[in-house]
Amino acid sequence: MSDSNLFDKIVSHAKEYGFVFPSSDIYGGLAAVYDYGQNGVELRNNLRQFWYLSMTRLNQNIVGLDSSIFMHPRIWKASGHVDGFNDPMIDNKDSKKRYRADVLIEDHQEKIRQKIEKEIEKAAKRFGDTFDASMYRTTNPRVMEYQAKIDRMDQILKEGLESGNLNVIKDLIEKEGIVCPISGSKNWTEVRQFNLMYSTQMNALDGGDDALYLRPETAQGIFVNYLNVQKTGRMKLPFGIAQTGKAFRNEIVARQFIMRMKEFEQMEMQFFCKPGTELEWYNYWKEQRMRWHKALGIPKTKYRFHDHIKLAHYANAAVDIEFDFPFGFKEVEGIHSRTDFDLGRHEEFSGKKLRYFDPETNESFIPYVVETSIGLDRLFLLVLSNAFQEESVDGDTRTVLKLHPAIAPVKCAILPLVKKDGLPELAEKIYEDLRFDFNVFIEDKDSIGKRYRRMDAIGTPFCVTVDHDSLNDHMVTIRHRDTMQQERVSISALHDILNKETSMSSLLKSI
Ligand code: ATP
């Protein structure tokens, strides 16, 4: 199956099984806006909870926050978003489609990277066990040439973005012969900057100077509450503030389903530390966040770090965690060392001191900040892409979502074998006992095989079948989603089994 086929399948599966619907579906949808259905909301809540608890429960020095979407407009002036939150856009004159110029170049680089991987695969086959891939990367002329090309493009992109000379980016697109994916043509406009913030009015009747922005990131809500939390929580450096919430960006190029949305959710943690210690904490959080991802049972080969080629002027280190989506490696999370830029700017713009007094040294200073920032929706797409599998079973295809049990929308389905002889009543009793601790589902329609398949398709890790013997021996058959193996267990053991296998606490312990 080609990767684009796989991606199309994942998108239609997400709709068919109540994970993600286009927003305003009956009105023809709204571009780049999506709704989460009955299973999607459970999966999304579990992912959010996994993130939030891993931050606030596993770290004594990280606390939560829930700041508003609307904030004082000067905040966005101070943060630099009013003047600088832009994307470089380019239009194709034939298809009339607009693209992010840097993304067009990155996609082109990814194609070259794939060529490198193919060369290496071929060589590995040719040389067998003695093959040394890293040596091949640094000695094979063709591979080196591809890599040099990628590096050259990075360099030009960085220079163009840093200097604001967007012509060099246009020239690069032309020189590389990058074509519009829709029209296939190279008929491009100039590259221009577009601001991504949505604005509205505070008071309906006033015009002019009461413009409000819908926040394009949750982080500024943390910065402007830094002192409130530090003082009321009597927090000592280093400490962190974590928050999850909606953010809005007028993404001109909405592509790839929930990968790039206009309304999405972020999960951000700002870690305040002493100046001079920030790079230590940056490295700590870089490793820590990768461990968190791997705890979800996703192979490490599907992740990679990507250092930023263009550092924002206030950052002294920045890296993305990228995941191998069906359309290639893309950013899912950013880790940034932001120095004292944001707090410093808010001090300047608000006129309020945002200093930390260090009782050990009797000094006050603006703390430095290391940020971890991940999109909940991108994470959702990541786990869905990783979990989606089609398997041949007895001449049939089963579609199964191999989600980590702790994030699966439904933990266990209770299935009476037939709709009579007291089986539904016993199933109901089991359901009643389990529902306080687990999201359980009960169903008596259709053959047991069909019911199993439906549960596989939404990633339910366990199905429990209640049969005639259950009435006498108080045992049920529990079926494991991934292996499809079945075993007979006592009804009274179910709670412990589910707790061990599906609880959030086991997942948190595994980080
Ligand atoms: P990109 O380069 O892909 O636009 P970004 O570098 O602008 O992302 P950040 O501002 O660092 O993203 O935001 C942190 C995280 O928020 C990203 O890693 C991503 O997971 C998520 N995110 C950003 N923009 C969107 C969006 N439009 N839709 C969904 N998630 C998003």
Side-chain angles (χ1 to χ4, degrees):
M1 188 177 359
S2 81
D3 284 354
S4 70
N5 267 349
L6 170 65
F7 185 55
D8 290 346
K9 280 193 178 181
I10 292 170
V11 175
S12 46
H13 189 86
K15 181 166 184 194
E16 190 180 341
Y17 286 93
F19 283 89
V20 183
F21 305 125
S23 159
S24 324
D25 207 6
I26 58 171
Y27 286 89
L30 184 64
V33 188
Y34 291 90
D35 297 339
Y36 288 86
Q38 66 280 15
N39 291 316
V41 70
E42 297 289 336
L43 172 57
R44 200 160 173 275
N45 285 346
N46 293 340
L47 289 169
R48 188 193 295 104
Q49 199 194 13
F50 177 42
W51 182 88
Y52 188 76
L53 294 181
S54 75
M55 285 294 174
T56 57
R57 294 255 180 101
L58 302 190
N59 297 283
Q60 288 181 3
N61 58 350
I62 298 186
V63 292
L65 178 78
D66 190 357
S67 69
S68 339
I69 288 171
F70 286 154
M71 294 197 277
H72 196 288
R74 275 173 67 76
I75 287 173
W76 303 111
K77 199 74 191 150
S79 68
H81 283 81
V82 171
D83 299 318
F85 192 48
N86 302 317
D87 273 345
M89 311 299 299
I90 188 166
D91 293 36
N92 183 269
K93 291 183 196 159
D94 298 317
S95 66
K96 308 269 184 280
K97 290 278 172 205
R98 184 162 288 172
Y99 299 92
R100 260 179 64 181
D102 55 332
V103 173
L104 274 183
I105 293 169
E106 279 166 13
D107 287 348
H108 186 64
Q109 287 175 310
E110 186 58 33
K111 283 189 193 136
I112 303 176
R113 235 173 243 124
Q114 280 164 11
K115 284 188 191 164
I116 296 181
E117 295 312 315
K118 282 225 173 80
E119 290 289 333
I120 290 174
E121 241 171 67
K122 270 198 300 194
K125 277 198 195 127
R126 218 169 40 238
F127 295 116
D129 287 347
T130 56
F131 180 66
D132 179 344
S134 48
M135 168 94 92
Y136 197 76
R137 274 180 208 278
T138 50
T139 51
N140 178 272
R142 188 174 300 166
V143 169
M144 285 164 66
E145 198 183 306
Y146 283 144
Q147 190 57 50
K149 203 168 179 187
I150 293 173
D151 295 344
R152 254 193 326 272
M153 288 197 238
D154 272 349
Q155 193 56 32
I156 295 172
L157 190 58
K158 179 174 155 80
E159 277 165 18
L161 292 174
E162 273 175 3
S163 66
N165 178 5
L166 301 177
N167 291 337
V168 297
I169 298 179
K170 160 93 187 279
D171 292 347
L172 180 62
I173 289 173
E174 278 178 345
K175 185 167 149 272
E176 286 299 320
I178 297 177
V179 297
C180 163
I182 308 275
S183 67
S185 94
K186 299 178 198 160
N187 197 5
W188 296 109
T189 61
E190 298 307 307
V191 178
R192 281 165 298 164
Q193 295 283 18
F194 277 84
N195 193 287
L196 297 180
M197 281 199 294
Y198 283 106
S199 64
T200 181
Q201 298 285 124
M202 187 74 180
N203 301 305
L205 293 180
D206 288 349
D209 56 4
D210 68 340
L212 275 190
Y213 296 103
L214 297 190
R215 66 179 178 198
E217 62 173 33
T218 54
Q220 297 304 323
I222 296 182
F223 290 124
V224 300
N225 277 293
Y226 153 75
L227 206 56
N228 285 336
V229 174
Q230 193 269 320
K231 289 241 146 81
T232 58
R234 302 167 63 236
M235 309 297 289
K236 300 260 175 297
L237 289 189
F239 75 92
I241 304 178
Q243 108 160 310
T244 69
K246 287 275 176 127
F248 304 82
R249 294 185 187 178
N250 191 1
E251 301 278 7
I252 315 286
V253 185
R255 284 187 311 167
Q256 291 158 339
F257 191 41
I258 53 175
M259 185 75 193
R260 190 171 296 288
M261 303 153 90
K262 296 189 183 231
E263 174 183 339
F264 59 101
E265 188 161 335
Q266 286 187 315
M267 307 195 287
E268 298 196 293
M269 192 278 294
Q270 313 296 132
F271 195 75
F272 301 90
C273 60
K274 285 189 187 173
T277 63
E278 73 278 8
L279 291 180
E280 221 174 280
W281 286 114
Y282 168 80
N283 286 321
Y284 171 82
W285 281 110
K286 189 175 154 185
E287 295 313 318
Q288 203 58 24
R289 291 303 303 145
M290 194 56 113
R291 283 166 69 122
W292 182 90
H293 279 274
K294 287 182 196 152
L296 285 168
I298 294 166
K300 68 171 188 257
T301 50
K302 290 202 159 188
Y303 283 106
R304 73 181 184 198
F305 284 119
H306 176 82
D307 286 309
H308 276 210
I309 52 157
K310 183 201 166 214
L311 280 185
H313 58 280
Y314 51 83
N316 60 7
V319 67
D320 292 337
I321 296 180
E322 294 188 340
F323 178 76
D324 191 5
F325 287 96
F327 38 82
F329 273 96
K330 293 277 173 222
E331 168 183 345
V332 62
E333 170 156 10
I335 296 140
H336 312 127
S337 173
R338 301 177 67 118
T339 67
D340 57 357
F341 173 79
D342 301 85
L343 289 181
R345 294 277 287 187
H346 288 306
E347 201 179 82
E348 184 187 334
F349 277 67
S350 68
K352 296 266 163 21
K353 284 264 171 280
L354 296 176
R355 310 264 153 151
Y356 176 81
F357 176 73
D358 188 343
E360 281 164 24
T361 59
N362 272 345
E363 279 174 352
S364 329
F365 53 85
I366 299 179
Y368 269 39
V369 171
V370 174
E371 154 184 277
T372 74
S373 173
I374 179 166
L376 176 54
D377 311 273
R378 257 185 221 185
L379 176 65
F380 186 103
L381 184 58
L382 181 163
V383 295
L384 210 57
S385 309
N386 184 66
F388 182 89
Q389 296 192 13
E390 290 181 316
E391 296 176 346
S392 301
V393 181
D394 305 331
D396 200 10
T397 305
R398 96 163 168 143
T399 306
V400 52
L401 292 186
K402 294 192 172 171
L403 295 167
H404 189 293
I407 57 165
V410 176
K411 306 299 183 213
C412 180
I414 318 290
L415 312 172
L417 192 60
V418 291
K419 258 199 245 183
K420 54 182 185 182
D421 306 334
L423 302 191
E425 289 75 8
L426 178 56
E428 191 69 33
K429 177 157 186 324
I430 298 173
Y431 173 85
E432 296 281 326
D433 287 345
L434 293 173
R435 70 181 170 152
F436 295 102
D437 293 312
F438 310 100
N439 190 20
V440 276
F441 177 80
I442 182 162
E443 188 180 47
D444 58 14
K445 281 185 280 312
D446 293 331
S447 73
I448 201 78
K450 278 194 182 148
R451 283 183 270 167
Y452 282 159
R453 287 289 181 273
R454 281 201 291 268
M455 287 298 117
D456 287 343
I458 64 164
T460 305
F462 297 103
C463 288
V464 160
T465 306
V466 179
D467 58 24
H468 288 96
D469 289 341
S470 310
L471 297 171
N472 302 318
D473 64 6
H474 308 290
M475 308 270 278
V476 283
T477 302
I478 188 163
R479 171 187 180 269
H480 298 254
R481 175 196 69 199
D482 296 352
T483 57
M484 291 183 286
Q485 282 187 344
Q486 306 191 3
E487 56 179 320
R488 204 76 187 148
V489 300
S490 132
I491 293 173
S492 59
L494 282 176
H495 191 282
D496 282 354
I497 296 174
L498 292 185
N499 201 35
K500 181 162 167 269
E501 303 287 339
T502 74
S503 74
M504 188 55 76
S505 57
S506 313
L507 176 56
L508 287 166
K509 280 181 195 151
S510 73
I511 296 176

